[in-house]
Amino acid sequence: MKIVALVGESGTGKSHKAMNLASSKGIRYIIDDGLLIHDAKRIAGKSAKRETTRLSAVRRAIFQFDDHCKEVKEAIERVKPDQLLIIGTSNKMVQNIARNLQIGEIDEYVYIDAISTKEEIKLARETRLKHGKHVIPLPTVEIKRDFSGYFLDSVKTIIRRREHEQETEIGEKTIVRPTFSYMGRFTISNRVIIQIVEHTCHLHEAIATVQRVRLHKHEEQIKLDLELSMHYGTFIAKSAEEIQISVKEALEHMTRLHVISVNIHVKSLNFLN
């Protein structure tokens, strides 16, 4: 197995460039921040960006947690890639990753300033330092269930395949803001979340009153139980489904939190016009 390392300081745009570099070299497996990725799908591992402290994120990224390391090692042995791209902030980091995963020595080093312009690196640094944004080279659906932080956006890029220069592919990356950041820890108060829920509910003509909003929050994932009073004559099942969808969409759009469930409890009917 040939191992290629993409090396660059934190915040210089490595993950953003990784998909194009891998495509140009015919590499289909990538290790980035604790994840083993194959063709934009997570094969094994956990993202270091889901960690709540910088120290645990570094340990996750270099596979110092035994169960995590074992999972990725077994996956590599199972899929047997002929080439592998490892992304890291220094030669020492990628060497530590290779050693911990017991996959051999690094065969080739590619440095970020060789594949990015000074302007691109400068922009990447500013984006990281000013806005705390990170890029994960996976579609949002691949990381949404267990990511600890806020989803900011998804980016689609056109990748030109090396073996067929006219053949292109659409790749998707996710821009996130982890719970750890150069800008400190980001939190959204429960009261703000409840106010968004109440406002969204009151936009529906079927609802008479929002009696209670119960919020269950774990890291940056939330479950909601809504106790509502609806107007008499309302098609309850259909209205409840519409409310579920609109509450989830409003919260995820305004807060970038991951809403796991919205449970509707119709406690009473309002007979007054």
Side-chain angles (χ1 to χ4, degrees), residues 52-144:
T52 56
T53 67
R54 192 176 307 283
L55 177 59
S56 61
V58 171
R59 294 189 64 197
R60 178 73 64 188
I62 63 175
F63 300 94
Q64 283 192 340
F65 296 107
D66 291 342
D67 56 342
H68 178 218
C69 184
K70 180 181 178 182
E71 176 193 350
V72 175
K73 282 172 61 178
E74 290 177 349
I76 292 173
E77 291 170 0
R78 183 176 67 253
V79 299
K80 295 180 172 57
D82 57 347
Q83 294 189 88
L84 180 65
L85 175 65
I86 300 178
I87 303 173
T89 58
S90 66
N91 288 3
K92 182 178 179 181
M93 179 179 178
V94 294
Q95 289 163 6
N96 283 336
I97 291 171
R99 183 175 63 252
N100 290 338
L101 293 176
Q102 298 178 338
I103 54 177
E105 300 294 325
I106 307 293
D107 296 295
E108 180 184 353
Y109 291 86
V110 178
Y111 297 96
I112 190 64
D113 56 4
I115 59 174
S116 295
T117 65
K118 291 181 179 179
E119 290 74 19
E120 288 174 326
I121 293 173
K122 180 181 178 181
L123 178 59
R125 287 186 185 277
E126 289 176 352
T127 300
R128 175 67 60 86
L129 293 173
K130 291 183 179 179
H131 305 289
K133 294 181 180 179
H134 295 241
V135 173
I136 298 178
L138 280 175
T140 302
V141 68
E142 286 290 316
I143 59 175
K144 191 170 185 179

